[in-house]
């Protein structure tokens, strides 16, 4: 029996189940019957809607059906693959409304769209001026951008100073309350607005309260969605493992993940052609507030990626081995862009006006800037069921995400299946959970369209190798500050033939005897070394980036989010 709504011609999930319309997030609210609207509201209010609505995939058998193909709404940008429309985006972008930014919203959006983005989030820094007037002042610019560039989805958000921790992207679904919700959130929970006398414990509690506040705004229907992603999580070593777990547990429909790779990637370009600094501006050392357990290597990027993501068997894998749905993204963190020829408008008074004046031309080429324009280097590719704000947020929440630098590949479609099942409609996609009986043989099917167009540095990237990383799901950890997963390792590497146009792989995963997850990683193969936890775990991982000599274009990687295989 079908949904009963109109205008749809779409297959259902691989198991042949028929998802009720109220639970099918690809069906817009406006197409539901009044009773289904009520039902969906109840489910949302109870935190039971969406694949990301539980802290652990161990508790969500229905997540196996996460994200199956529908075709709602108007056609947008992106690339169709595996039943989804993959929409490239960037959730971390600053403008003249940031104390350290300079560009207009339309400048960032226009460049991002020109460089291939389908969605982006404006995330000016939380600060006194921003909390007082900035959230309101940027909104008309965002509204104007939505009108000027309807083929680009432009979200409003902010970069939250997480109390007791680093920064985070926070953004909401567009709507009449987006400014009010963001402003109340920033004024109440931003670290810049809290008493300096707060203890660390008080601040950690405020961070949890802030995430819960966002979830409550969704449940109260003030906004249709709110998401949190931790930014540059290992940069200063102050995002401790227990804080990350606490954020996720505070509201798993809001706190969904972290930057797998930070922005500021141009900062590593060697002088005199570039800044000659650290990729991602990861040039810190442990300080008093840093988590004491982190090694020194955590304070640098590895192949441009954050240590938490790049270390096989490290912190990210520790979370995944617990069954925690915790996703990774990449973005630009664009403030002032490499090789640009503009500067802040003269006569600006940021504290008084909450913004800098419009930028002006300068004849000087800025080789000291550490940022790329949005879309120029990093992409977060989201498997969406339509071109819409809601579909992007749902795709992020469900973890249907792969990321790359320098447009290393064109498309990625990874699925785990019952062995031998070749139906095009079957298979569990990225972020999903496949539940099968113990003893069932499963396999990974992977299709990657290799790049045949030049990236924005004007060369065609060449994928050299793809690694399959597998870890045992061991359930909740004894210590919430755990950050290793001893059973996780690279189990298979596929070399890519030069001149190929596509990599098609079927990899047997054996008969299920214990719950596990897998994730994928690919590289141009130009800079590798054994992983931090040893060659037996990761024989050819990313190389530790060297400050002053870390060319982002000479070291490209892609990463996917995981897929779990669990016994029924």
């Amino acid at each position: 029996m079908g949904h009963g709504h109109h205008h749809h011609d779409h297959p259902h999930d691989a198991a042949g189940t028929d998802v009720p319309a109220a639970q099918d997030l690809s069906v817009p609210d406006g197409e539901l019957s009044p009773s289904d609207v009520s039902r969906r509201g109840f489910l949302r209010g109870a935190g039971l809607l969406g694949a990301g609505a539980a802290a652990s995939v161990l508790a969500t058998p229905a997540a196996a059906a996460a994200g199956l193909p529908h075709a709602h709404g108007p056609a947008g940008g992106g690339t169709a693959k595996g039943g989804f429309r993959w929409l490239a985006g960037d959730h971390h972008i600053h403008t003249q409304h940031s104390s350290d930014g300079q560009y207009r919203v339309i400048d960032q959006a226009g460049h991002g769209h020109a460089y291939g983005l389908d969605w982006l989030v404006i995330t000016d820094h939380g600060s006194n001026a921003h909390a007082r007037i900035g959230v309101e002042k940027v909104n008309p610019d965002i509204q104007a951008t939505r009108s000027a560039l309807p083929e680009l989805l432009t979200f409003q958000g902010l970069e939250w100073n997480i109390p007791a921790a680093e920064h985070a992207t926070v953004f909401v679904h567009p709507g009449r309350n987006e400014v009010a919700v963001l402003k109340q959130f920033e004024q109440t929970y931003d670290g810049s607005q809290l008493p300096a006398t707060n203890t660390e414990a008080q601040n950690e509690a405020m961070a949890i309260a802030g995430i819960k506040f966002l979830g409550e705004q969704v449940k109260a229907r003030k906004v249709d969605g709110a998401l949190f992603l931790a930014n540059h999580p290992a940069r200063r070593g102050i995002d401790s493992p227990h804080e990350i777990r606490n954020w996720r547990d505070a509201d798993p429909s809001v706190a969904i993940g972290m930057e797998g790779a930070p922005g500021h990637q141009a900062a590593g370009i060697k002088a005199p052609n570039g800044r000659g600094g650290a990729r991602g501006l990861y040039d810190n050392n442990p300080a008093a507030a840093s988590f004491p357990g982190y090694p020194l290597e955590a304070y640098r990027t590895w192949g441009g990626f954050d240590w938490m993501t790049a270390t096989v068997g490290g912190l990210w894998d520790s979370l995944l081995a617990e069954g925690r749905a915790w996703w990774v993204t990449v973005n630009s963190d664009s403030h002032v862009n490499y090789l640009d020829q503009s500067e802040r408008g003269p006569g600006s008074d940021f504290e008084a006006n909450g913004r800098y004046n419009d930028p002006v031309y300068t004849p000087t080429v800025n080789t000291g800037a550490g940022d790329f324009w949005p879309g120029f280097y990093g992409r977060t590719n989201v498997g969406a069921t339509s071109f819409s704000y809601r579909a992007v947020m749902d795709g992020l929440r469900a973890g249907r995400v792969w990321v790359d630098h320098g447009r290393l590949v064109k498309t990625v479609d990874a699925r785990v299946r019952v062995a031998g099942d070749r139906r095009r409609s079957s298979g569990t996609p990225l972020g999903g959970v496949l539940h099968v009986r113990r003893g069932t043989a499963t396999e990974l099917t992977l299709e990657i369209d290799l790049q045949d167009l030049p990236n924005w540095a004007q060369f065609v990237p060449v994928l050299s190798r793809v690694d399959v990383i597998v870890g045992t799901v061991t359930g909740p950890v004894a210590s919430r500050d755990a950050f290793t997963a001893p059973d996780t390792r690279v189990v298979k590497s596929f070399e890519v033939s030069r001149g190929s146009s596509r990599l098609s792989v079927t990899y047997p995963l054996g008969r299920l005897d214990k719950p596990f997850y897998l994730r994928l990683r690919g590289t141009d193969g130009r800079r590798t070394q054994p992983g931090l936890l040893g060659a037996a775990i990761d024989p050819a991982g990313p190389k530790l980036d060297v400050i002053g000599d870390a060319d982002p274009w000479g070291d490209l990687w892609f990463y996917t989010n995981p897929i779990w295989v669990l016994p029924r």
Side-chain angles (χ1 to χ4, degrees), residues 107-387:
D107 297 334
Q108 293 283 37
H111 280 84
H113 186 51
Y115 290 127
L117 297 187
D118 304 294
W119 61 273
L120 51 77
V121 188
I122 300 300
T123 54
D124 295 312
H125 283 290
S127 67
N128 290 331
H130 194 262
R132 180 167 47 86
I133 53 177
V135 182
E136 289 151 324
K137 282 209 165 186
V138 73
N139 186 260
D141 295 351
I142 290 174
Q143 299 278 11
T145 298
R146 289 171 182 161
S147 297
L149 298 172
E151 65 276 24
L152 179 74
L153 302 170
T154 303
F155 292 91
Q156 180 168 355
L158 57 85
E159 185 163 19
W160 183 28
N161 296 296
I162 310 172
E166 262 277 8
H167 299 163
T169 287
V170 165
F171 68 105
V172 299
H173 191 284
R176 57 188 173 85
N177 292 317
E178 61 184 328
V179 170
V181 168
L182 288 170
K183 184 164 186 171
Q184 185 178 352
F185 171 78
E186 184 177 349
Q187 290 183 334
T188 309
Y189 300 105
D190 191 84
S192 68
Q193 307 302 299
L194 300 178
T197 54
N198 267 12
T199 65
E200 185 170 343
Q202 287 174 316
N203 280 333
E204 287 191 14
M206 285 300 287
I208 293 170
I211 292 169
K212 288 184 175 178
F213 166 84
L214 292 170
E216 289 161 0
Q217 304 314 297
V218 178
K219 291 170 185 172
R221 302 188 183 186
K222 291 187 176 178
V223 288
D224 277 352
L227 293 177
F228 159 105
L229 290 151
N231 294 339
H232 35 74
R235 184 177 67 170
R236 297 169 58 204
I238 60 175
D239 287 3
S240 60
H242 75 264
E243 286 177 287
I244 294 173
R245 289 182 167 94
N246 289 345
W247 301 334
R248 178 67 180 163
D249 290 351
D251 191 327
S253 70
V254 173
I256 61 169
M258 62 185 179
E259 288 181 351
H264 306 310
Q265 292 283 331
I269 297 174
K270 195 173 183 177
N273 296 321
R275 184 188 183 99
R279 283 178 83 170
L281 299 179
Y282 273 43
D283 55 3
N284 293 280
N285 294 302
S290 303
F291 177 68
Y294 289 153
L296 288 175
E297 291 88 346
Y299 295 82
R300 301 289 181 270
T301 54
W302 295 69
F305 277 69
D306 186 283
W307 163 84
M308 293 185 185
T309 294
T311 304
V312 175
L315 198 153
W316 188 31
D317 286 312
S318 177
L319 300 170
L320 301 180
E322 282 193 277
R324 289 179 184 276
W326 188 252
W327 317 124
V328 298
T329 61
V330 305
N331 51 69
S332 65
D333 199 353
S334 170
H335 291 74
V336 179
N337 296 322
Y338 180 64
L339 300 183
D340 187 35
Q341 290 180 261
S342 68
E343 62 184 14
R344 288 177 189 148
S348 297
D349 186 342
F350 183 85
E351 288 303 316
N353 300 322
R355 64 190 291 275
Y356 293 105
N357 294 336
D358 291 352
V360 295
Y361 171 73
T362 169
T364 303
V365 177
N366 189 346
T367 57
D371 310 341
F372 290 124
W373 288 102
F376 194 86
Y377 185 68
R379 296 183 298 176
T380 294
N381 301 279
V382 179
T385 53
S386 68
F387 181 75

Side-chain angles (χ1 to χ4, degrees), residues 28-48:
D29 285 358
E31 296 185 20
L32 295 176
S33 67
S35 61
D36 279 332
V37 169
S38 176
R39 173 66 177 163
R40 178 172 286 182
F42 169 79
L43 293 170
R44 279 191 173 131
L48 296 172

